[in-house]
Amino acid sequence: MHTESFIAELQSIVGPNHVLISADDKAPFLTDWRKRFTGKAIAVVMPASTEEVAAIVKCCIAARVPIVTQGGNTGFCGGATPYPSGHEIVLSLKRMNRIRSTDIANQTMTVEAGCILQSIQVAAVETGHLFPLSLGAEGSCMIGGNLATNAGGTNVLRYGNARDLCLGLEVVTAQGEIWHGLKGLRKDNTGYDLRDLFIGSEGTLGIITAAVLKLYPLPLSQWTTLVATNDIPSAIALLGLFQKRAASLLTGFEMMTQESLDLCASHFPQMANPLSNKPPYTILIELSDHESEEHVRLLLEQILETALEDSLVSDAIIASNLSQAQAFWQMREHITLAQAQEGANLKHDITLPLSSLDQFMQSTDALMRSAYPGIRIINFGHLGDGNLHYNIAPPKGVDPHAFNQAEETAIHELVYAQVEQYGGSISAEHGVGQLKLGGLRAHRGAVAHDMMKAIKRALDPDNILNPNKVVSI
Ligand code: FAD
Ligand code: 2HG
Ligand code: ZN
């Protein structure tokens, strides 16, 4: 491969301004959001259309250059970061950011992969609809990346994850062909489900260029409350109570330990927990209603009354206006930002059956604290989905890089052994990327892992799309 002629060919496809080759221009695309992974790339290429993506893939096949597709670069597993070998290109979809159409009768919107999630949410509201995918990175992550990682976020317990919100895809295959799968159908049993195969495949099977998304009626009113619970069994009983009494009106159920909130407040003092006496667990609950403000407010008050009577909660604050509700959510979302400011940490994005969650937390906390005295367990997450962000930070005053270098493997092993014991998953919503590549065979089992490798070989025999992410062949 002659680098110069390869670059010239890429330039002829997308135009010279859209092939970045200088170190400074490429730098923002070569390190992930957490600054955990840094790689190198021949170039960063920014196509403006699906046809240009297809032409780039064909050019890369001919030159035997692998492609690392990138959306908003907010992923947590290094999936969008090239390896340090420098033999890959980064394909950034940021220029493919058009909303192609909205079909009000069908309640769908067709968007290009480089649309920022928040811009889709706003466009949906402008038509009187809700696009329910919601996460802390929504101001910069892109829908292609959301689908490629099957992102979760805070509305999963009511609306499902990214997979549940997508009806059709347009994909450029590893052969540089275009699969036109942009149908907005809620039923389609015509053989294998290709859409679901590409969703969650983290750029290893195809390049998502556009998607048909589901829209929902915009709720009339939302009420948010923060409640204090003393233990996880009470929190889970509270979840059951809300599910029974509020049913589909329950749209958020998030858990934060006080240790997480203390860290958050130490970096963002204006975001201290408004509940008094620093309860062990703070739960953020959101109800969304289509009937009326009074209806949902009354329902929330009645459920909280029962919860207080049954001693499931010891304290509660209902947000009295929109800005207080936003402040509750900000506190929740800022735990990740506080951790980033505090320094390197070890993330564990895990799910457990709700029935095992308490035992998991008690035994893992005990093992962790006895092995690493002074360790900080920053545990929070989407309790309604059984999804914990069980993040580990070194004892205060200990250099995080030195600590991670010495203890990372042992800490991951400790947590993941516990996850296996309690029937959980080592990746709930963030994916595999390069971070969890090595642990996947043991976790999924040889049979499942071999099927995944067979799929990768069948769809991408030249191993051109994001090699050595998710699975190695
Ligand atoms: P990128 O990081 O650019 O890419 C992620 C993966 O998808 C890579 O493997 C990449 O190759 C692939 N990819 C990207 N675009 C395409 C495409 N068009 N076709 C094929 N493959 C593609 N995640 C959650 O699930 N829930 C959360 O609550 C959540 N909160 C977050 C909060 C913060 C502050 C941050 C920084 C991140 C959070 N994330 C969360 C993680 C991240 O935002 C999601 O994984 C998101 O879906 C990634 O989107 P992206 O556009 O940034 O993708
Ligand atoms: C969230 O739920 C994100 O806020 C980030 O998934 C989790 O920081 C994390 O580990
Ligand atoms: Zn999360």
Side-chain angles (χ1 to χ4, degrees):
M1 195 260 304
H2 294 289
T3 308
E4 275 177 25
S5 59
F6 173 64
I7 286 173
E9 203 171 327
L10 294 173
Q11 286 173 333
S12 74
I13 297 169
V14 297
N17 291 341
H18 306 301
V19 180
L20 309 180
I21 45 177
S22 81
D24 282 355
D25 288 346
K26 288 188 290 187
F29 300 86
L30 303 181
T31 297
D32 68 323
W33 188 89
R34 292 179 68 204
K35 305 197 177 356
R36 226 202 113 110
F37 299 98
T38 296
K40 290 186 183 151
I42 298 169
V44 176
V45 188
M46 299 184 290
S49 70
T50 305
E51 290 69 27
E52 287 184 6
V53 174
I56 293 165
V57 173
K58 286 189 172 151
C59 173
C60 286
I61 294 169
R64 295 176 180 274
V65 173
I67 300 167
V68 179
T69 303
Q70 192 173 101
N73 197 18
T74 66
F76 281 150
C77 300
T81 310
Y83 280 105
S85 68
H87 295 138
E88 300 171 311
I89 63 158
V90 171
L91 182 81
S92 166
L93 293 189
K94 63 191 287 186
R95 291 176 67 221
M96 292 188 59
N97 59 3
R98 281 185 318 128
I99 292 181
R100 288 192 187 163
S101 61
T102 305
D103 183 339
I104 298 294
N106 200 38
Q107 301 218 48
T108 51
M109 187 179 269
T110 302
V111 302
E112 290 184 345
C115 286
I116 303 266
L117 173 56
Q118 200 169 55
S119 69
I120 296 173
Q121 296 166 342
V122 170
V125 170
E126 281 165 4
T127 70
H129 289 85
L130 171 76
F131 179 61
L133 188 65
S134 177
L135 43 133
E138 62 200 21
S140 51
C141 64
M142 296 174 189
I143 192 68
N146 300 144
L147 291 164
T149 55
N150 188 24
T154 53
N155 274 330
V156 172
L157 88 164
R158 166 66 180 89
Y159 297 100
N161 45 31
R163 171 171 280 124
D164 299 303
L165 299 172
C166 176
L167 294 176
L169 287 181
E170 178 187 84
V171 172
V172 172
T173 69
Q175 290 69 36
E177 305 297 333
I178 300 172
W179 173 48
H180 297 281
L182 285 177
K183 284 186 176 171
L185 303 176
R186 285 170 174 80
K187 287 188 168 181
D188 183 7
N189 279 351
T190 48
Y192 304 141
D193 196 327
L194 300 175
R195 177 197 62 203
D196 275 358
L197 198 54
F198 290 114
I199 295 175
S201 69
E202 301 182 45
T204 63
L205 300 180
I207 299 165
I208 297 169
T209 49
V212 182
L213 304 176
K214 280 189 204 170
L215 300 179
Y216 288 82
L218 203 56
L220 203 72
S221 172
Q222 284 187 316
W223 284 90
T224 311
T225 180
L226 277 186
V227 307
T229 63
N230 288 326
D231 50 46
I232 288 296
S234 302
I236 291 173
L238 185 69
L239 173 65
L241 179 69
F242 268 92
Q243 283 171 325
K244 191 168 161 203
R245 299 269 293 273
S248 63
L249 305 196
L250 179 63
T251 47
F253 199 93
E254 301 283 316
M255 180 280 292
M256 297 155 277
T257 61
Q258 190 53 40
E259 200 167 358
S260 322
L261 292 177
D262 283 342
L263 179 80
C264 188
S266 72
H267 288 274
F268 306 103
Q270 73 281 20
M271 285 179 199
N273 192 350
L275 289 168
S276 46
N277 301 326
K278 296 196 169 206
Y281 303 97
T282 296
I283 314 288
L284 193 169
I285 303 164
E286 181 192 78
L287 298 188
S288 305
D289 191 28
H290 296 270
E291 210 174 301
S292 69
E293 292 254 343
E294 298 68 42
H295 175 257
V296 61
R297 163 102 203 188
L298 196 66
L299 180 68
L300 180 56
E301 282 171 358
Q302 285 169 350
I303 300 174
L304 287 177
E305 222 170 86
T306 309
L308 280 160
E309 277 164 21
D310 295 351
S311 303
L312 298 180
V313 306
S314 53
D315 194 6
I317 307 176
I318 297 178
S320 54
N321 52 42
L322 185 63
S323 72
Q324 199 179 9
Q326 282 168 345
F328 292 176
W329 277 108
Q330 292 252 320
M331 184 176 82
R332 160 65 181 85
E333 306 288 5
H334 273 67
I335 301 172
T336 300
L337 305 181
Q339 280 213 276
Q341 288 199 2
E342 183 78 4
N345 58 79
L346 300 172
K347 283 192 187 295
H348 302 98
D349 162 43
I350 55 179
T351 22
L352 281 307
L354 284 173
S355 44
S356 309
L357 210 71
D358 182 42
Q359 274 178 303
F360 168 86
M361 276 169 57
Q362 287 204 34
S363 57
T364 313
D365 284 8
L367 289 170
M368 196 64 79
R369 293 196 199 283
S370 91
Y372 305 98
I375 198 91
R376 286 173 295 166
I377 303 175
I378 307 304
N379 183 7
F380 61 101
H382 317 285
L383 190 75
D385 312 322
N387 179 185
L388 299 179
H389 297 305
Y390 192 87
N391 298 342
I392 300 297
K396 247 198 165 348
V398 172
D399 173 57
H401 286 289
F403 179 82
N404 287 355
Q405 210 156 19
E407 307 299 349
E408 169 165 10
T409 308
I411 288 180
H412 285 325
E413 277 174 5
L414 189 162
V415 175
Y416 294 147
Q418 288 285 102
V419 168
E420 298 299 348
Q421 188 181 330
Y422 289 100
S425 168
I426 62 167
S427 177
E429 57 173 7
H430 296 162
V432 176
Q434 43 182 309
L435 181 68
K436 298 179 184 175
L437 175 77
L440 203 63
R441 188 169 180 85
H443 178 66
R444 293 291 303 264
V447 175
H449 196 248
D450 286 343
M451 284 195 279
M452 287 171 67
K453 290 208 288 189
I455 291 168
K456 170 72 176 168
R457 276 194 213 103
L459 293 191
D460 182 16
D462 296 326
N463 207 14
I464 203 94
L465 297 180
N466 221 1
N468 301 313
K469 309 281 175 58
V470 186
V471 285
S472 294
I473 54 169

